[in-house]
Coordinates of all heavy atoms in Angstrom, one line a residue:
Q1 N -10.1 3.2 1.7 CA -11.5 2.8 2.1 C -12.5 4.0 2.1 O -13.6 3.8 1.6 CB -11.5 2.2 3.7 CG -10.7 0.8 3.7 CD -10.7 0.4 5.2 OE1 -10.6 1.3 6.2 NE2 -10.5 -0.8 5.4
A2 N -12.0 5.1 2.4 CA -12.8 6.3 2.2 C -13.1 6.6 0.6 O -14.3 7.0 0.4 CB -12.1 7.5 2.8
A3 N -12.0 6.4 -0.1 CA -12.2 6.6 -1.7 C -13.3 5.6 -2.0 O -14.1 6.1 -3.0 CB -10.9 6.5 -2.3
Q4 N -13.1 4.3 -1.8 CA -14.0 3.3 -2.3 C -15.5 3.6 -1.7 O -16.5 3.6 -2.5 CB -13.7 2.0 -1.7 CG -14.3 0.7 -2.3 CD -15.5 0.4 -1.4 OE1 -15.6 0.7 -0.2 NE2 -16.4 -0.2 -1.9
A5 N -15.6 4.1 -0.5 CA -17.0 4.4 0.0 C -17.5 5.6 -0.7 O -18.7 5.7 -0.8 CB -16.8 4.8 1.5
R6 N -16.7 6.5 -1.3 CA -17.3 7.6 -2.0 C -17.5 7.3 -3.6 O -17.7 8.1 -4.4 CB -16.4 8.7 -1.9 CG -16.4 9.3 -0.6 CD -15.4 10.6 -0.5 NE -15.6 11.2 0.8 CZ -14.6 11.0 1.8 NH1 -13.5 10.3 1.6 NH2 -14.9 11.7 3.0
G7 N -17.2 6.0 -4.0 CA -17.4 5.6 -5.3 C -16.2 5.8 -6.3 O -16.3 5.8 -7.4
I8 N -15.1 6.2 -5.7 CA -14.0 6.5 -6.6 C -13.4 5.3 -7.0 O -13.2 4.2 -6.2 CB -12.9 7.3 -5.8 CG1 -13.6 8.7 -5.4 CG2 -11.7 7.4 -6.6 CD1 -12.7 9.5 -4.4
S9 N -13.1 5.0 -8.3 CA -12.6 3.9 -8.9 C -11.2 3.9 -9.4 O -10.6 2.8 -9.7 CB -13.5 3.2 -9.9 OG -13.6 4.1 -11.0
E10 N -10.6 5.1 -9.5 CA -9.2 5.1 -10.0 C -8.5 6.1 -9.1 O -8.8 7.3 -8.9 CB -9.3 5.8 -11.4 CG -9.9 4.9 -12.4 CD -9.9 5.3 -13.8 OE1 -9.6 6.5 -14.1 OE2 -10.3 4.6 -14.7
V11 N -7.3 5.6 -8.5 CA -6.7 6.2 -7.5 C -5.2 6.2 -7.7 O -4.7 5.2 -8.1 CB -7.0 5.9 -6.0 CG1 -8.5 6.4 -5.7 CG2 -6.6 4.5 -5.8
H12 N -4.5 7.3 -7.3 CA -3.0 7.4 -7.3 C -2.7 7.9 -5.9 O -2.9 9.1 -5.8 CB -2.6 8.3 -8.5 CG -1.1 8.5 -8.4 ND1 -0.4 9.2 -9.5 CD2 -0.1 8.2 -7.6 CE1 0.9 9.2 -9.2 NE2 1.1 8.6 -8.1
V13 N -2.0 7.0 -5.1 CA -1.7 7.4 -3.8 C -0.3 7.9 -3.9 O 0.6 7.3 -4.6 CB -1.8 6.2 -2.8 CG1 -1.2 6.4 -1.5 CG2 -3.3 5.7 -2.7
E14 N 0.0 9.0 -3.2 CA 1.4 9.5 -3.0 C 1.8 9.4 -1.6 O 1.0 9.9 -0.7 CB 1.3 10.9 -3.6 CG 2.7 11.4 -4.0 CD 2.5 12.6 -4.8 OE1 2.4 13.8 -4.1 OE2 2.6 12.6 -6.1
T15 N 2.8 8.9 -1.2 CA 3.4 8.8 0.3 C 4.9 9.2 0.2 O 5.7 9.2 -0.7 CB 3.2 7.3 0.7 OG1 3.7 7.3 2.0 CG2 3.9 6.4 -0.1
D16 N 5.3 9.6 1.4 CA 6.7 9.9 1.6 C 7.4 8.6 2.3 O 8.6 8.7 2.7 CB 6.9 11.0 2.5 CG 6.3 10.9 3.9 OD1 5.6 10.0 4.2 OD2 6.5 11.9 4.7
A17 N 6.8 7.5 2.3 CA 7.4 6.3 2.7 C 7.8 5.3 1.6 O 6.9 4.6 1.2 CB 6.3 5.6 3.7
S18 N 8.9 5.3 1.3 CA 9.4 4.5 0.2 C 9.3 3.0 0.4 O 9.0 2.2 -0.4 CB 10.9 4.8 -0.2 OG 11.6 4.6 0.9
Q19 N 9.3 2.7 1.7 CA 9.3 1.3 2.2 C 7.8 0.8 1.8 O 7.5 -0.3 1.6 CB 9.5 1.1 3.6 CG 11.0 1.0 3.9 CD 11.3 0.8 5.4 OE1 10.6 1.5 6.3 NE2 12.1 -0.2 5.7
L20 N 6.9 1.6 1.9 CA 5.4 1.3 1.7 C 5.1 1.0 0.3 O 4.7 0.0 -0.1 CB 4.4 2.4 2.4 CG 3.0 2.0 2.0 CD1 2.5 0.8 2.7 CD2 2.0 3.3 2.4
V21 N 5.7 1.9 -0.6 CA 5.7 1.7 -2.0 C 6.4 0.4 -2.3 O 5.7 -0.4 -3.1 CB 6.4 2.7 -2.8 CG1 6.3 2.5 -4.2 CG2 5.6 4.2 -2.5
Q22 N 7.5 0.0 -1.8 CA 8.2 -1.2 -2.1 C 7.4 -2.4 -1.6 O 7.2 -3.3 -2.3 CB 9.6 -1.2 -1.4 CG 10.3 -2.5 -1.7 CD 11.6 -2.6 -1.0 OE1 12.0 -1.6 -0.2 NE2 12.4 -3.6 -1.0
A23 N 6.7 -2.2 -0.5 CA 6.0 -3.3 0.2 C 4.6 -3.6 -0.8 O 4.3 -4.8 -0.8 CB 5.5 -3.1 1.6
L24 N 4.1 -2.6 -1.4 CA 2.9 -2.8 -2.1 C 3.2 -3.3 -3.5 O 2.2 -3.7 -4.3 CB 2.1 -1.6 -2.1 CG 1.5 -1.2 -0.6 CD1 0.5 0.0 -0.7 CD2 0.9 -2.5 -0.1
W25 N 4.4 -2.9 -4.0 CA 4.6 -3.4 -5.5 C 5.5 -4.6 -5.6 O 5.8 -5.1 -6.6 CB 5.3 -2.2 -6.2 CG 4.4 -1.2 -6.6 CD1 4.5 0.2 -6.2 CD2 3.2 -1.2 -7.4 NE1 3.5 0.8 -6.7 CE2 2.7 0.0 -7.4 CE3 2.7 -2.2 -8.1 CZ2 1.5 0.3 -8.2 CZ3 1.4 -2.0 -8.8 CH2 0.9 -0.8 -8.9
S26 N 5.9 -5.2 -4.4 CA 6.7 -6.5 -4.4 C 6.2 -7.4 -3.2 O 5.5 -7.0 -2.5 CB 8.2 -6.1 -4.3 OG 8.5 -5.7 -3.1
D27 N 7.0 -8.5 -3.3 CA 6.8 -9.4 -1.9 C 7.9 -9.2 -1.0 O 8.0 -10.1 -0.2 CB 6.7 -10.8 -2.6 CG 5.5 -11.0 -3.5 OD1 4.4 -10.4 -3.3 OD2 5.5 -11.9 -4.2
D28 N 8.7 -8.2 -1.1 CA 9.9 -8.0 -0.4 C 9.5 -8.0 1.3 O 10.3 -8.4 2.1 CB 10.7 -6.8 -0.7 CG 11.3 -6.9 -2.0 OD1 11.4 -8.1 -2.6 OD2 11.8 -6.0 -2.5
Q29 N 8.4 -7.4 1.5 CA 8.1 -7.2 2.9 C 7.1 -8.3 3.5 O 6.6 -8.3 4.6 CB 7.3 -5.8 3.0 CG 8.2 -4.6 2.8 CD 9.2 -4.4 4.0 OE1 9.0 -4.7 5.1 NE2 10.4 -4.0 3.5
D30 N 6.9 -9.5 2.7 CA 6.0 -10.6 3.0 C 6.8 -11.1 4.1 O 8.1 -11.2 4.3 CB 5.9 -11.6 2.0 CG 4.9 -11.1 1.0 OD1 4.3 -10.0 1.2 OD2 4.6 -11.8 0.1
M31 N 6.1 -11.8 5.3 CA 6.6 -12.5 6.4 C 7.3 -11.4 7.3 O 8.2 -11.8 8.1 CB 7.6 -13.6 5.9 CG 7.0 -14.6 5.0 SD 5.4 -15.2 5.6 CE 6.2 -16.2 6.9
T32 N 7.0 -10.2 7.3 CA 7.5 -9.2 8.2 C 6.3 -8.8 9.3 O 5.2 -9.3 8.9 CB 8.0 -7.9 7.5 OG1 6.9 -7.3 6.9 CG2 9.1 -8.2 6.5
I33 N 6.7 -8.0 10.2 CA 5.6 -7.8 11.2 C 4.3 -7.0 10.6 O 3.3 -7.2 11.1 CB 6.3 -6.9 12.3 CG1 5.3 -6.9 13.5 CG2 6.5 -5.5 11.9 CD1 6.0 -6.4 14.8
N34 N 4.6 -6.3 9.5 CA 3.4 -5.6 8.9 C 2.8 -6.3 7.6 O 2.0 -5.8 6.9 CB 3.9 -4.2 8.4 CG 4.4 -3.4 9.6 OD1 3.6 -3.3 10.5 ND2 5.4 -2.7 9.6
D35 N 3.1 -7.5 7.5 CA 2.7 -8.3 6.3 C 1.2 -8.4 6.1 O 0.7 -8.1 5.1 CB 3.4 -9.8 6.4 CG 2.8 -10.6 5.3 OD1 2.8 -10.2 4.2 OD2 2.3 -11.8 5.6
V36 N 0.5 -8.5 7.2 CA -0.9 -8.6 7.2 C -1.6 -7.3 6.6 O -2.4 -7.4 5.7 CB -1.6 -9.0 8.6 CG1 -3.1 -8.9 8.4 CG2 -1.1 -10.4 8.8
I37 N -1.2 -6.2 7.0 CA -1.7 -4.9 6.5 C -1.3 -4.7 5.1 O -2.1 -4.2 4.2 CB -1.5 -3.8 7.4 CG1 -2.4 -2.6 7.0 CG2 0.0 -3.3 7.3 CD1 -2.6 -1.5 8.0
F38 N -0.2 -5.1 4.7 CA 0.3 -4.9 3.3 C -0.6 -5.8 2.3 O -1.1 -5.3 1.3 CB 1.7 -5.3 3.1 CG 2.7 -4.5 3.8 CD1 3.9 -5.0 4.2 CD2 2.4 -3.1 4.1 CE1 4.9 -4.3 4.9 CE2 3.5 -2.4 4.8 CZ 4.5 -2.9 5.2

């Protein structure tokens, strides 16, 4: 949201949470407690 507000249109996010990467690149975490935010 901060990047978008600054007009940035190309981003590469780096995280130490492998489950987050998996959740955003697949549907594996759908229907879990964090589904809405994913």
Side-chain angles (χ1 to χ4, degrees):
Q1 289 171 337
Q4 186 269 339
R6 292 180 175 104
I8 298 169
S9 62
E10 297 183 349
V11 296
H12 176 172
V13 174
E14 202 169 75
T15 177
D16 62 353
S18 61
Q19 286 182 308
L20 179 62
V21 175
Q22 179 185 1
L24 297 181
W25 285 121
S26 71
D27 297 329
D28 293 348
Q29 295 289 325
D30 287 1
M31 305 304 290
T32 64
I33 194 165
N34 294 312
D35 176 48
V36 172
I37 194 162
F38 298 148

